[in-house]
Amino acid sequence: MSSDEADAFVTSTDPLHPANLIPELCGGFYRLGWVTGTGGGICIRVGDKVYIAPSGVQKERIEPSHIFVLPYPQSTSSPHTDRIFLRRPKLNLKESACTPLFWNAFDKRNAGSCIHTHSQNAVMATLLWEGDFFEISHQMIKGVRIGGNGPPMSYLDTLRVPIIPNTPFEEDLTESMAAAMDKYPEAAAVLVRRHGIYVWGDDWQKAKTQTECLDYLFEIGVKMKLAGIPTVLNN
Amino acid sequence: MSSDEADAFVTSTDPLHPANLIPELCGGFYRLGWVTGTGGGICIRVGDKVYIAPSGVQKERIEPSHIFVLPYPQSTSSPHTDRIFLRRPKLNLKESACTPLFWNAFDKRNAGSCIHTHSQNAVMATLLWEGDFFEISHQMIKGVRIGGNGPPMSYLDTLRVPIIPNTPFEEDLTESMAAAMDKYPEAAAVLVRRHGIYVWGDDWQKAKTQTECLDYLFEIGVKMKLAGIPTVLNN
Amino acid sequence: MSSDEADAFVTSTDPLHPANLIPELCGGFYRLGWVTGTGGGICIRVGDKVYIAPSGVQKERIEPSHIFVLPYPQSTSSPHTDRIFLRRPKLNLKESACTPLFWNAFDKRNAGSCIHTHSQNAVMATLLWEGDFFEISHQMIKGVRIGGNGPPMSYLDTLRVPIIPNTPFEEDLTESMAAAMDKYPEAAAVLVRRHGIYVWGDDWQKAKTQTECLDYLFEIGVKMKLAGIPTVLNN
Amino acid sequence: MSSDEADAFVTSTDPLHPANLIPELCGGFYRLGWVTGTGGGICIRVGDKVYIAPSGVQKERIEPSHIFVLPYPQSTSSPHTDRIFLRRPKLNLKESACTPLFWNAFDKRNAGSCIHTHSQNAVMATLLWEGDFFEISHQMIKGVRIGGNGPPMSYLDTLRVPIIPNTPFEEDLTESMAAAMDKYPEAAAVLVRRHGIYVWGDDWQKAKTQTECLDYLFEIGVKMKLAGIPTVLNN
């Protein structure tokens, strides 16, 4: 494929085109404090194409021309180490280190989008909940879907978000994230202790609104815990 | 009525037209953290028309074409289940689940606007005040009106905001919100425990400024409570 | 004077004209949480003209046409009750209730601008410092000037901001604010317990930067107090 | 050199030209609460030219014409007191009082940019860590480079940021900052107790992302300390 043909994948006047949306959404995430200092990001999958931001760059300054496009599924058996691209930026950029983690969300939940943040609320939740999961009930959890892609949860449900240990390299979380998704099929996200969170959804809207909803729940949960208020009520 | 005639209800170049104001105000509420993750919203009533945002969508991305228009009053005896519309969006949207709660404000206080937020300050207030109401005195409560539509309160008054229990479905709050409004005729708003708040006013300006004022009071009240400072002084 | 002549006082293409600056600055103060719910504001005096925002309106939505212009000094002996105007908005607006308090800053410190906020940091400071003043040393107080219009303070100085009791009506603070300014001639501002703060400066830039500086000091001071760290060091 | 020739140093249509970047970045730092009340700022060095903002002005309102340009290195032996300029603003402005501290970063770490903030997170860190340095491990420290210009740190490393005592005048920090940089060659920044922080990097992007990363770590570190959670784990 020629370079011009490849650039067409990220060139559109439609503000809702993934190559335009990713920069805009990352700007919003920056203002929320979710992706400061090059951390975090979002990927969007539309059918057989995956749009991914570069690694290690200021997320609020991404441009459409920085976006990587990959085919989905990957025809290689190890997309982790041997990825195929439809389009790479001309600059000396590397695709997001979260790529194999985003792939977990595609493969295991048929997600259309996955968001990774370093939100302080998420990290504080992983510090104050020392077990295998964060949990809360009787809050506005109805914005979260069972498994991230199922029906909405109810106010009366108990939301559990599994917490996995962090590793020095992002890609080394791939297997433990997958294992947590298998062990907690109702979970809409996976927290990484002392690091952040991965949240997915059927499309970018659902991924984004669930990320906001979960972040809200971590924030209120942390406040409750510090104020000595239990976060789970016995039904 | 033709579809074009109906669309005229939400088409205006006036930035203060309700169909333009609702998206703009919701954008501001999003930046305040009041309506993240599709929660919350605002409705505006001008005379015999009510403008309402859709349910379950990103509130900071609403467009005028997404707005529902309903006649007021409703000629049906059960607007809760059997609503009449002057205009519905062409998209597959549902009107805000808060509709019957907004109607309480119209029917009981002749409100011109009602705002619903999931503000963390409001929710924390409902967790730290375990009784039937939040209360505070000797703060800047003069921005709140008696009953939400009466004369301004005084610095020396004690502001009480009733707290009702939450329910899994928004519409199931209709009766308990109405009962709280009857029981506390001086209240300018109703808090919903572990959920958020409904605030009304004669028009959108008064609803908005009272929501800001109350949110400010919940924020300072929560800080005072956590610091061991009483929020009500004996006069 | 004709209405058109009066309107010329608030009509300018210069973004630094007081009638343009006041709306812009109030928008910034709104985003800082200083003037939500119609509270707070700023006035600017340039030579013999004073520009004042209206009372009881949304401060982030003021327009140049809403601005009042008053001569300075007032030829009446009681500007509190019997004010002379060069220009009044055509709308049914009243000048800011802070007007006599702003006048204190003009009369006693020859100020060119005075800012009033309801900042939560300022209010918390008045709650945690129960005496007649807030005090802090060994912080970035060098952005504050002695008396608000004198030379900059030093890092080694102890900043004291007097606290006066609140009253139900803003104008009833006039005399106690004046008395505090007389008693604390080195103070750059006056705190009003359970209400907010008045800060002045030679011009709007100095009033604004001193307000920011003081708000920063209240914020860090409150955090220190709550963490058990003394805010004043013995030299 | 004529005044017009000098002005050419700060005149460019390229948004990434240092004279355009500094105002834009300072606006962002203002919104983050890092440079309120005229404090803080950023300098950028490109090859043999250093771009510096003025002292004592509102950092969110700087314009390209306010920028100073200095040659690097300075041909004088005491750039602290006897500076050479390529371009000075026509207004009555003084270059940032941080100039000799920025110079430390150029001379000792070959930095291309240095940022100074008064962030509350940084100041709280200097109050809660009473020794010679702040330290944290097992957090997202991989956005920080060893020495500020070396390879990225690892999640398993312990980040230490030296803390020096403050002085009434910014320039009097020059020697103690230099000494801390010598004593802690792996440090990416120097904290100033009760004042703020200096952070450097190879270019403005790296200085900015490291400042964000460090501020994030101070914020989470302060929260952990106040919640009784140790910030350094034994490996």
Side-chain angles (χ1 to χ4, degrees):
Chain A
M1 188 180 303
S2 76
S3 168
D4 282 355
E5 283 173 314
D7 283 355
F9 287 126
V10 296
T11 308
S12 169
T13 56
D14 179 1
L16 295 182
H17 185 285
N20 295 329
L21 263 175
I22 289 174
E24 185 205 338
L25 292 169
C26 283
F29 298 166
Y30 177 81
R31 287 184 286 279
L32 291 170
W34 289 357
V35 301
T36 60
T38 85
I42 180 172
C43 72
I44 297 177
R45 180 176 70 86
V46 181
D48 59 0
K49 286 187 196 66
V50 175
Y51 301 81
I52 288 189
S55 168
V57 300
Q58 300 175 84
K59 291 295 180 290
E60 81 281 16
R61 288 178 178 264
I62 295 175
E63 296 180 14
S65 65
H66 301 164
I67 303 293
F68 292 80
V69 187
L70 290 78
Y72 183 84
Q74 292 270 303
S75 55
T76 160
S77 59
S78 56
H80 182 150
T81 53
D82 190 24
R83 281 173 207 136
I84 296 168
F85 293 86
L86 294 172
R87 193 261 173 189
R88 285 163 164 285
K90 288 184 189 67
L91 300 163
N92 183 21
L93 293 171
K94 220 177 136 352
E95 71 274 19
S96 169
C98 304
T99 302
L101 308 173
F102 292 155
W103 234 261
N104 277 338
F106 303 150
D107 289 347
K108 291 190 169 289
R109 301 288 162 91
N110 194 29
S113 181
C114 188
I115 293 171
H116 174 46
T117 88
H118 291 183
S119 159
Q120 297 249 337
N121 297 320
V123 173
M124 280 303 290
T126 71
L127 292 167
L128 292 172
W129 274 258
E130 298 183 7
D132 288 347
F133 49 80
F134 167 87
E135 66 179 343
I136 199 165
S137 78
H138 294 81
Q139 285 288 349
M140 292 312 287
I141 62 178
K142 70 187 182 189
V144 181
R145 288 166 184 276
I146 295 173
N149 58 358
M153 296 189 73
S154 157
Y155 174 70
L156 303 174
D157 291 337
T158 297
L159 173 85
R160 288 199 180 86
V161 183
I163 304 174
I164 60 173
N166 194 29
T167 55
F169 296 100
E170 210 102 5
E171 49 268 37
D172 295 333
L173 294 168
T174 311
E175 282 174 38
S176 60
M177 176 187 169
M181 293 175 78
D182 289 341
K183 183 171 173 190
Y184 296 90
E186 300 209 338
V190 174
L191 284 161
V192 185
R193 184 159 278 136
R194 299 169 173 277
H195 176 163
I197 191 168
Y198 286 86
V199 187
W200 54 84
D202 282 346
D203 49 34
W204 69 268
Q205 292 98 328
K206 292 201 178 72
K208 169 175 169 288
T209 57
Q210 291 190 96
T211 307
E212 289 176 355
C213 210
L214 287 163
D215 203 68
Y216 174 96
L217 293 167
F218 299 139
E219 183 178 354
I220 204 89
V222 165
K223 288 177 184 168
M224 292 171 78
K225 190 86 150 189
L226 292 175
I229 303 169
T231 59
V232 176
L233 299 184
N234 297 317
N235 287 312
Chain B
M1 188 180 303
S2 76
S3 169
D4 282 355
E5 284 172 316
D7 283 355
F9 288 126
V10 296
T11 308
S12 169
T13 57
D14 180 0
L16 295 182
H17 185 284
N20 295 329
L21 263 176
I22 290 174
E24 185 205 338
L25 293 169
C26 283
F29 298 166
Y30 177 81
R31 286 184 287 278
L32 290 171
W34 289 358
V35 301
T36 61
T38 84
I42 180 173
C43 72
I44 297 176
R45 180 175 71 85
V46 180
D48 60 0
K49 287 188 196 66
V50 176
Y51 300 82
I52 287 187
S55 167
V57 301
Q58 301 174 84
K59 290 295 179 290
E60 81 281 16
R61 288 178 178 265
I62 296 174
E63 296 179 13
S65 65
H66 300 163
I67 302 294
F68 291 80
V69 187
L70 290 79
Y72 182 84
Q74 291 270 302
S75 56
T76 160
S77 60
S78 56
H80 182 148
T81 53
D82 191 23
R83 282 175 207 134
I84 297 168
F85 294 87
L86 294 172
R87 193 262 173 188
R88 285 163 164 285
K90 289 184 188 67
L91 300 163
N92 183 22
L93 293 171
K94 218 176 138 349
E95 71 274 19
S96 169
C98 304
T99 302
L101 307 174
F102 293 154
W103 234 260
N104 277 339
F106 304 150
D107 289 347
K108 291 191 168 288
R109 302 286 162 91
N110 194 29
S113 181
C114 188
I115 292 172
H116 174 45
T117 87
H118 291 183
S119 159
Q120 296 249 338
N121 297 320
V123 173
M124 280 303 290
T126 71
L127 292 167
L128 292 172
W129 274 259
E130 298 183 8
D132 287 347
F133 48 80
F134 166 89
E135 65 179 345
I136 199 165
S137 78
H138 294 82
Q139 285 289 348
M140 292 312 287
I141 63 179
K142 68 187 184 189
V144 181
R145 288 166 183 276
I146 295 173
N149 58 358
M153 297 189 71
S154 157
Y155 174 70
L156 302 176
D157 290 338
T158 297
L159 172 85
R160 288 199 180 85
V161 183
I163 304 173
I164 61 173
N166 194 30
T167 55
F169 297 100
E170 209 101 5
E171 49 268 36
D172 294 333
L173 294 168
T174 311
E175 282 175 37
S176 59
M177 176 186 169
M181 293 174 79
D182 289 342
K183 184 171 173 191
Y184 296 89
E186 301 209 338
V190 173
L191 284 160
V192 185
R193 184 159 279 135
R194 299 170 172 277
H195 175 162
I197 192 168
Y198 287 86
V199 188
W200 53 84
D202 283 346
D203 49 35
W204 69 267
Q205 291 99 327
K206 291 203 179 71
K208 169 175 169 289
T209 57
Q210 291 190 97
T211 307
E212 288 176 356
C213 209
L214 287 163
D215 202 68
Y216 174 96
L217 294 167
F218 299 140
E219 183 178 354
I220 204 90
V222 166
K223 287 178 184 168
M224 292 171 77
K225 191 86 148 189
L226 292 175
I229 303 169
T231 59
V232 176
L233 299 184
N234 296 318
N235 288 311
Chain C
M1 189 180 302
S2 76
S3 170
D4 283 354
E5 284 172 315
D7 284 354
F9 288 126
V10 297
T11 308
S12 169
T13 57
D14 179 1
L16 296 182
H17 186 283
N20 295 330
L21 263 176
I22 289 174
E24 185 206 338
L25 292 170
C26 283
F29 298 165
Y30 177 81
R31 287 184 286 278
L32 290 171
W34 290 357
V35 301
T36 62
T38 84
I42 180 173
C43 72
I44 297 177
R45 180 175 72 86
V46 180
D48 61 359
K49 287 187 195 66
V50 175
Y51 299 82
I52 288 188
S55 167
V57 300
Q58 301 174 83
K59 291 295 179 290
E60 81 282 15
R61 288 177 177 266
I62 295 174
E63 296 180 14
S65 64
H66 301 163
I67 302 294
F68 292 80
V69 187
L70 290 78
Y72 182 84
Q74 292 271 301
S75 56
T76 160
S77 61
S78 56
H80 182 149
T81 53
D82 190 24
R83 283 176 206 133
I84 297 168
F85 293 87
L86 294 171
R87 193 260 174 189
R88 284 164 162 285
K90 290 185 189 65
L91 301 163
N92 184 22
L93 294 171
K94 219 176 136 350
E95 70 276 19
S96 169
C98 304
T99 301
L101 307 173
F102 293 155
W103 234 260
N104 278 338
F106 305 150
D107 288 348
K108 291 189 168 288
R109 302 286 162 93
N110 194 29
S113 181
C114 188
I115 293 173
H116 174 45
T117 88
H118 291 183
S119 160
Q120 297 250 337
N121 298 320
V123 173
M124 280 303 290
T126 70
L127 292 166
L128 293 172
W129 274 258
E130 298 183 8
D132 286 348
F133 48 80
F134 166 87
E135 64 178 346
I136 198 164
S137 77
H138 294 82
Q139 286 288 349
M140 291 313 287
I141 62 179
K142 68 188 183 188
V144 182
R145 287 166 184 276
I146 295 173
N149 58 359
M153 297 189 71
S154 156
Y155 174 70
L156 302 175
D157 289 339
T158 297
L159 172 85
R160 288 199 180 84
V161 183
I163 304 173
I164 60 173
N166 194 29
T167 54
F169 298 100
E170 209 101 7
E171 50 267 37
D172 295 333
L173 294 168
T174 311
E175 284 174 36
S176 58
M177 177 186 168
M181 293 174 78
D182 290 341
K183 184 170 173 190
Y184 296 89
E186 301 209 338
V190 173
L191 284 160
V192 186
R193 183 159 278 136
R194 299 170 171 276
H195 175 162
I197 191 168
Y198 287 86
V199 188
W200 52 84
D202 282 345
D203 49 35
W204 69 268
Q205 291 98 327
K206 290 202 180 71
K208 171 175 167 289
T209 57
Q210 291 191 96
T211 307
E212 290 176 357
C213 210
L214 287 163
D215 203 68
Y216 174 96
L217 293 167
F218 300 140
E219 183 178 354
I220 204 90
V222 166
K223 287 178 184 168
M224 291 171 79
K225 189 88 148 189
L226 292 175
I229 302 169
T231 59
V232 176
L233 298 185
N234 296 318
N235 288 311
Chain D
M1 189 181 303
S2 77
S3 169
D4 283 355
E5 284 172 315
D7 283 355
F9 288 127
V10 297
T11 309
S12 168
T13 57
D14 179 1
L16 296 182
H17 185 284
N20 295 329
L21 263 175
I22 289 175
E24 184 206 339
L25 292 170
C26 283
F29 298 165
Y30 177 82
R31 287 184 287 278
L32 291 170
W34 289 357
V35 301
T36 61
T38 84
I42 180 173
C43 72
I44 297 178
R45 179 175 72 86
V46 180
D48 60 359
K49 286 187 196 67
V50 175
Y51 300 82
I52 287 188
S55 168
V57 301
Q58 301 175 83
K59 291 295 180 291
E60 81 282 14
R61 287 177 177 266
I62 295 174
E63 296 180 14
S65 65
H66 301 162
I67 302 294
F68 292 80
V69 187
L70 290 78
Y72 183 84
Q74 292 271 302
S75 55
T76 161
S77 59
S78 56
H80 183 150
T81 54
D82 189 24
R83 282 174 208 134
I84 297 167
F85 294 86
L86 293 172
R87 194 260 173 190
R88 286 163 162 285
K90 290 185 187 66
L91 301 163
N92 184 22
L93 293 171
K94 219 178 137 348
E95 71 275 20
S96 169
C98 304
T99 301
L101 308 174
F102 293 155
W103 234 260
N104 277 339
F106 304 151
D107 289 346
K108 291 189 168 290
R109 301 288 163 90
N110 194 29
S113 181
C114 187
I115 293 172
H116 174 46
T117 88
H118 292 183
S119 160
Q120 297 249 338
N121 297 320
V123 173
M124 280 303 289
T126 71
L127 292 166
L128 293 172
W129 273 259
E130 299 183 7
D132 287 347
F133 48 80
F134 167 87
E135 65 179 344
I136 198 165
S137 76
H138 293 82
Q139 285 288 349
M140 292 311 287
I141 62 178
K142 69 187 183 191
V144 181
R145 288 167 184 275
I146 295 173
N149 57 359
M153 296 189 73
S154 157
Y155 174 69
L156 303 175
D157 290 338
T158 297
L159 173 84
R160 287 199 181 86
V161 183
I163 305 174
I164 60 174
N166 194 29
T167 55
F169 296 100
E170 210 101 6
E171 50 268 36
D172 294 334
L173 294 168
T174 311
E175 282 174 37
S176 58
M177 177 186 168
M181 293 175 78
D182 289 341
K183 183 172 173 190
Y184 296 89
E186 301 209 337
V190 173
L191 283 161
V192 185
R193 183 159 278 137
R194 300 170 171 275
H195 176 163
I197 191 169
Y198 286 86
V199 188
W200 53 83
D202 282 346
D203 49 35
W204 69 268
Q205 292 98 327
K206 290 201 180 71
K208 170 175 167 288
T209 57
Q210 291 190 96
T211 307
E212 290 175 357
C213 209
L214 287 164
D215 202 68
Y216 174 96
L217 293 168
F218 299 139
E219 183 178 354
I220 204 89
V222 166
K223 287 177 184 169
M224 292 172 78
K225 190 86 149 189
L226 292 175
I229 302 170
T231 59
V232 176
L233 298 185
N234 296 318
N235 288 312

